[in-house]
Amino acid sequence: IEVGDNTSILALLEEVHHADIAEILDEISTEEATYLIKLLDSEKTSEALMELDEDYREEILDNLSPQEIADELNELDTDDAVDFLSELDEDIQRQVIDAIEDEEHARDIIEMLRYDEDSAGGLMAKELVRVRETWTVAGCVRKMRAQAQNVTRVHSVYVVDKNDHLIGRLSLKDLLTAEAKSNISDIYIPNVDSVNVHDTAEDVARIMQKYDLEAVPVVNDAGVLLGRITVDDILDFIRDEADEDYRMAAGISQVVEADDNLLKLTRARLPWLLIGMFGGLGAASIITGFNSIFETFPKLLVFVPLIQATAGNVGVQSSAIVVQGLANDSLKGNIAGRLLKECALAIINGLAIATVVLVISHFFFETTYLESVSIGVAIIAVIILAALIGTFIPIVLDKRGIDPAVATGPFITTSNDVFGILTYFLIAKLILGF
Amino acid sequence: IEVGDNTSILALLEEVHHADIAEILDEISTEEATYLIKLLDSEKTSEALMELDEDYREEILDNLSPQEIADELNELDTDDAVDFLSELDEDIQRQVIDAIEDEEHARDIIEMLRYDEDSAGGLMAKELVRVRETWTVAGCVRKMRAQAQNVTRVHSVYVVDKNDHLIGRLSLKDLLTAEAKSNISDIYIPNVDSVNVHDTAEDVARIMQKYDLEAVPVVNDAGVLLGRITVDDILDFIRDEADEDYRMAAGISQVVEADDNLLKLTRARLPWLLIGMFGGLGAASIITGFNSIFETFPKLLVFVPLIQATAGNVGVQSSAIVVQGLANDSLKGNIAGRLLKECALAIINGLAIATVVLVISHFFFETTYLESVSIGVAIIAVIILAALIGTFIPIVLDKRGIDPAVATGPFITTSNDVFGILTYFLIAKLILGF
């Protein structure tokens, strides 16, 4: 199909949704994709490009001229256009902005490039419907008609005073049912939640979720209405955050996908493996340090993997619960209380596991009574220690303003491995006295 | 405050948002919360109750009569009311439904209790604005006014034919700007995405995200419009799914929060710890099986924790990437290709780590050349094996319709521990010949 018959391609894709076009672009080669994008109407391709994977979009954009990129940006809301632009080199950025026809659109984009990507300013779009409190309903509908042409979807209508300060919002329902000659000031809802342009994306997500908002207006420090953030931007943000926590828990340090190239995947994965390696070497030193054990109680060495696995698992569980509690804001009470509870839980779990291990080690691995007791006591101690470390570290990180999610996964596993094995041998030494 | 002065409490809380009231309820005792709920207008308390933690809500509901619960339900959308009801015992459910004044509301709730909680039917609400294609714009606005009273927020207006089949949607923008005497059939948008009432919540989430929908209509097999699902319901669902994956990766088997009681936390955590324990005992058997090693090459035992940690970390990384790829639908290509890529990646990472370990073991732990080589080769082999297991298992689980997220965390760590240690000793035996 790709070599010629333009009109039939156009006819074929005319009714197709942009998300489906994105899927098509994803499956064909870069050259074919570039060809398609030049061929199709930019209204459709710009949205399809937005749906693509960043890396692949960059490849396609490299094949387009600044003018062609500008045509695509013309069709996008300011927030998407800025995401788009920020991936390009600075001098190409400038050329593209110069080539954008609509001067206001270009000015908005330049303004928004200034905001931090993870702030309310970085998330917001300038496109919104604003009405003055002094207008009448009939005049308002007339002016809204003009404004609405630039706004793909009308989420909310915001009411501003003569200095563009946000003073309320208007429900379309009320507008629809109000008399044509009544004033906006009589029907608008003066209570409106808004966020500051410098608020973090996390705060915005929290507010929107708490109050179930579909769109929230963004104001500057003086209360001037600058833009709006819609729930689908927040949806993307929440999903990205969850993905990031998940990646961190698994010891992957960068945004990677299974389809990225080997170098990128190695960069994301090798650092954590090296941390794990140094942990392993640390454990090796500890075992070497207790080398008298080899001669007297070689059977204790057999249970090192068990101790290590238990310490790692408990640590990951404890930290995950705390990290999730912090993320959901559902963590209450003080640190001491929380640590006490983890202790109690660790003792319950520890007793259960120690009992099973004690019996199995004695009967199947033929350890002496004293050896079995050492192993059992050590397991309980290791579980308590691992639970405390797993609980304590994320809380401390969070208090210091560091994302507690880094404390999950290999980080906690590694430190618990080392401390677990050390505890095991110390307790064995104490009880068995080698 | 809690002992008497009702009017000032009412005055104080009149302007407060229901989400904030939920926070207040969360911080006072159950008795005080019950008192407040009886005191306040049910329009506000019903929404506040929805925001509360399930367990706590149940406690409060136990203190209310069926009539009082029914009053709360009267104020809720059908989807929330059903969530609410499904937590109660069946005979209380029946009493509450009997006590609901609005018969249509009660009928809708009974209908919806039939749907599976995780299907489109379970997520949808019955409240929506529907218009007939044959109406005029003026008549439509009049009738919408009446319907809109039952609908808290107008997301979309759906157009149906005379048999209630969904045939399109109406944008409020068009309605606002259309002439009063034109027909709905002239201005409605005939292209509308919809989902079937039996579609899974996951499918609905995927469709809404792909097409950036804020609300999607739900139809039955015959195409009759039954309800609608809004993006905030999907937001909750996506967040729950992400939380669940995260919990599984951390080896927590149930929905728990840090503030749950010890029994619940133990039930969620002990099973995975027991799996880890049996893995550890398996490893112990393997080491015992290779017991000739104790005499000839005791230094090899020192590196068991290193092998185990590496195997576990690699396995978790590989499986997390696959699980996330499956969840995002971004995984392409066949299994063989993916396994080959993981192999290549494992060789790169393995070479890097093996080199470091080889040097350190030889110079710091004074292993012989042959011992060092054994350890290095074993590390590469273990990393390859762990990567393949980590990649293969989630893909197979997914093909069989099992949630691949169960394959992350302790499950993959445990199996990799055992296989890793076995591989290590087998390779050492091959090279060193003990």
Side-chain angles (χ1 to χ4, degrees), chain A residues 90-358:
Chain A
E90 256 184 56
D91 54 319
I92 299 182
Q93 261 184 34
R94 212 166 314 120
Q95 288 176 44
V96 171
I97 291 175
D98 287 343
I100 293 177
E101 279 166 45
D102 182 346
E103 274 182 37
E104 203 192 316
H105 196 54
R107 224 175 22 244
D108 287 344
I109 290 174
I110 293 170
E111 180 196 332
M112 289 187 50
L113 276 171
R114 287 204 323 260
Y115 296 115
D116 179 29
E117 209 187 324
D118 282 332
S119 73
L123 281 174
M124 75 178 180
K126 304 289 291 182
E127 287 79 8
L128 51 76
V129 179
R130 73 177 74 203
V131 301
R132 283 277 173 81
E133 58 169 332
T134 51
W135 293 351
T136 63
V137 167
C140 174
V141 169
R142 218 168 33 244
K143 297 203 178 157
M144 273 177 62
R145 210 177 302 191
Q147 286 185 37
Q149 306 215 313
N150 294 318
V151 184
T152 339
R153 247 178 308 188
V154 179
H155 293 89
S156 281
V157 178
Y158 298 113
V159 184
V160 293
D161 67 12
K162 63 183 190 309
N163 296 319
D164 258 355
H165 290 115
L166 177 71
I167 56 171
R169 69 187 168 83
L170 200 60
S171 99
L172 284 174
K173 206 167 89 181
D174 292 339
L175 194 62
L176 215 55
T177 55
E179 304 239 346
K181 57 185 184 298
S182 54
N183 267 325
I184 296 299
S185 54
D186 299 329
I187 61 166
Y188 82 85
I189 303 155
N191 242 328
V192 59
D193 295 295
S194 66
V195 295
N196 186 287
V197 68
H198 299 298
D199 283 349
T200 63
E202 262 170 45
D203 288 337
V204 177
R206 196 170 303 139
I207 290 172
M208 290 188 76
Q209 285 189 75
K210 182 170 168 191
Y211 297 116
D212 273 341
L213 304 175
E214 270 154 47
V216 69
V218 181
V219 298
N220 67 9
D221 294 330
V224 172
L225 179 63
L226 295 179
R228 52 98 186 134
I229 298 172
T230 55
V231 71
D232 51 303
D233 299 320
I234 288 298
L235 194 75
D236 291 343
F237 175 78
I238 290 172
R239 219 174 32 165
D240 286 351
E241 285 286 291
D243 280 357
E244 198 185 311
D245 283 359
Y246 188 77
R247 266 200 319 274
M248 284 210 211
I252 301 165
S253 60
Q254 295 178 14
V255 182
V256 283
E257 282 176 26
D259 292 302
D260 281 335
N261 65 42
L262 284 177
L263 182 71
K264 207 170 164 190
L265 284 168
T266 305
R267 268 211 310 265
R269 293 171 59 166
L270 191 54
W272 284 116
L273 293 182
L274 287 172
I275 291 180
M277 184 199 74
F278 284 111
L281 290 171
S285 312
I286 293 173
I287 299 178
T288 311
F290 285 91
N291 61 359
S292 54
I293 224 171
F294 287 95
E295 290 126 43
T296 357
F297 303 101
K299 276 186 181 149
L300 287 184
L301 282 171
V302 161
F303 294 98
V304 166
L306 172 65
I307 296 288
Q308 186 180 349
T310 307
N313 286 344
V314 170
V316 169
Q317 286 183 338
S318 302
S319 62
I321 288 189
V322 173
V323 168
Q324 219 165 43
L326 289 169
N328 298 341
D329 262 338
S330 67
L331 212 63
K332 279 161 225 123
N334 54 15
I335 299 190
R338 170 127 345 260
L339 291 178
L340 213 67
K341 190 170 182 182
E342 273 294 322
C343 249
L345 192 66
I347 292 172
I348 298 176
N349 285 335
L351 278 174
I353 289 178
T355 311
V356 180
V357 170
L358 199 135

Side-chain angles (χ1 to χ4, degrees), chain A residues 15 17 19-20 23 26 51 141 144-145 148 151-155 172-173 175-177 191 209-214 231-232 235 238-239 242-243 245-247 249-252 256-262 265-266 268-270 272-274 276-278 280-281 283-285 287-288 294 298 301-306 308-310 313-314 316-318 320-321 323-324 328 330-332 338 341-342 344-345 348-349 352-353 356-357 360 365 408 410 414 417 421, chain B residues 15 17 19-20 23 26 51 141 144-145 148 151-155 172-173 175-177 191 209-214 231-232 235 238-239 242-243 245-247 249-252 256-262 265-266 268-270 272-274 276-278 280-281 283-285 287-288 294 298 301-306 308-310 313-314 316-318 320-321 323-324 328 330-332 338 341-342 344-345 348-349 352-353 356-357 360 365 408 410 413-414 417 421:
Chain A
E15 284 294 305
H17 191 279
D20 296 315
E23 278 188 2
D26 215 15
E51 305 272 332
V141 169
M144 273 177 62
R145 210 177 302 191
V151 184
T152 339
R153 247 178 308 188
V154 179
H155 293 89
L172 284 174
K173 206 167 89 181
L175 194 62
L176 215 55
T177 55
N191 242 328
Q209 285 189 75
K210 182 170 168 191
Y211 297 116
D212 273 341
L213 304 175
E214 270 154 47
V231 71
D232 51 303
L235 194 75
I238 290 172
R239 219 174 32 165
D243 280 357
D245 283 359
Y246 188 77
R247 266 200 319 274
I252 301 165
V256 283
E257 282 176 26
D259 292 302
D260 281 335
N261 65 42
L262 284 177
L265 284 168
T266 305
R269 293 171 59 166
L270 191 54
W272 284 116
L273 293 182
L274 287 172
M277 184 199 74
F278 284 111
L281 290 171
S285 312
I287 299 178
T288 311
F294 287 95
L301 282 171
V302 161
F303 294 98
V304 166
L306 172 65
Q308 186 180 349
T310 307
N313 286 344
V314 170
V316 169
Q317 286 183 338
S318 302
I321 288 189
V323 168
Q324 219 165 43
N328 298 341
S330 67
L331 212 63
K332 279 161 225 123
R338 170 127 345 260
K341 190 170 182 182
E342 273 294 322
L345 192 66
I348 298 176
N349 285 335
I353 289 178
V356 180
V357 170
I360 292 184
F365 295 93
T408 49
T414 303
D417 281 0
I421 291 172
Chain B
E15 285 294 304
H17 191 280
D20 296 314
E23 279 188 1
D26 215 13
E51 305 272 331
V141 169
M144 274 177 61
R145 211 178 300 188
V151 184
T152 338
R153 248 178 307 187
V154 178
H155 293 89
L172 285 174
K173 207 167 85 182
L175 194 62
L176 215 54
T177 55
N191 242 328
Q209 284 188 76
K210 182 170 168 191
Y211 298 115
D212 273 342
L213 304 175
E214 270 155 49
V231 70
D232 50 300
L235 194 75
I238 289 173
R239 222 175 29 168
D243 281 358
D245 283 359
Y246 188 77
R247 264 199 322 273
I252 301 165
V256 283
E257 282 177 26
D259 291 303
D260 281 335
N261 64 42
L262 284 177
L265 284 167
T266 305
R269 293 171 60 166
L270 192 55
W272 283 115
L273 294 181
L274 287 173
M277 183 199 75
F278 283 112
L281 289 172
S285 312
I287 300 178
T288 312
F294 287 94
L301 282 171
V302 162
F303 294 98
V304 165
L306 173 64
Q308 186 180 350
T310 307
N313 287 344
V314 170
V316 169
Q317 287 183 338
S318 302
I321 288 189
V323 167
Q324 218 164 42
N328 298 341
S330 66
L331 213 62
K332 280 161 223 120
R338 169 123 349 254
K341 190 170 181 183
E342 272 295 321
L345 192 67
I348 298 176
N349 286 335
I353 289 178
V356 180
V357 170
I360 292 184
F365 294 94
T408 51
T413 323
T414 304
D417 281 0
I421 291 172

Side-chain angles (χ1 to χ4, degrees), chain B residues 105-350:
Chain B
H105 197 54
R107 221 172 26 242
D108 287 344
I109 290 174
I110 294 171
E111 180 196 332
M112 288 186 51
L113 276 170
R114 287 205 321 261
Y115 296 115
D116 180 28
E117 209 187 325
D118 282 332
S119 73
L123 282 173
M124 75 178 181
K126 304 290 291 183
E127 285 78 7
L128 51 76
V129 179
R130 73 177 75 203
V131 301
R132 284 276 171 83
E133 58 171 332
T134 50
W135 293 352
T136 63
V137 167
C140 174
V141 169
R142 217 169 34 244
K143 296 203 177 159
M144 274 177 61
R145 211 178 300 188
Q147 288 186 35
Q149 306 216 312
N150 294 319
V151 184
T152 338
R153 248 178 307 187
V154 178
H155 293 89
S156 281
V157 178
Y158 298 113
V159 183
V160 293
D161 67 12
K162 63 182 191 311
N163 296 320
D164 259 355
H165 290 114
L166 177 72
I167 56 171
R169 69 185 169 85
L170 200 60
S171 100
L172 285 174
K173 207 167 85 182
D174 292 338
L175 194 62
L176 215 54
T177 55
E179 305 237 345
K181 58 184 183 298
S182 53
N183 267 326
I184 295 300
S185 53
D186 298 329
I187 60 167
Y188 81 87
I189 303 154
N191 242 328
V192 59
D193 295 295
S194 65
V195 295
N196 186 287
V197 69
H198 298 299
D199 283 349
T200 63
E202 262 170 45
D203 288 337
V204 177
R206 196 170 302 141
I207 289 171
M208 291 189 75
Q209 284 188 76
K210 182 170 168 191
Y211 298 115
D212 273 342
L213 304 175
E214 270 155 49
V216 70
V218 181
V219 298
N220 67 9
D221 293 329
V224 173
L225 178 64
L226 295 179
R228 52 96 186 137
I229 298 172
T230 56
V231 70
D232 50 300
D233 298 321
I234 287 299
L235 194 75
D236 292 343
F237 175 78
I238 289 173
R239 222 175 29 168
D240 287 350
E241 284 287 291
D243 281 358
E244 197 184 312
D245 283 359
Y246 188 77
R247 264 199 322 273
M248 285 210 209
I252 301 165
S253 61
Q254 295 179 12
V255 181
V256 283
E257 282 177 26
D259 291 303
D260 281 335
N261 64 42
L262 284 177
L263 182 70
K264 206 170 165 190
L265 284 167
T266 305
R267 267 212 308 264
R269 293 171 60 166
L270 192 55
W272 283 115
L273 294 181
L274 287 173
I275 290 180
M277 183 199 75
F278 283 112
L281 289 172
S285 312
I286 293 172
I287 300 178
T288 312
F290 285 90
N291 62 358
S292 53
I293 224 171
F294 287 94
E295 289 127 44
T296 356
F297 303 101
K299 276 185 182 152
L300 288 184
L301 282 171
V302 162
F303 294 98
V304 165
L306 173 64
I307 296 288
Q308 186 180 350
T310 307
N313 287 344
V314 170
V316 169
Q317 287 183 338
S318 302
S319 62
I321 288 189
V322 173
V323 167
Q324 218 164 42
L326 289 169
N328 298 341
D329 262 338
S330 66
L331 213 62
K332 280 161 223 120
N334 53 16
I335 298 190
R338 169 123 349 254
L339 291 177
L340 213 67
K341 190 170 181 183
E342 272 295 321
C343 247
L345 192 67
I347 291 172
I348 298 176
N349 286 335

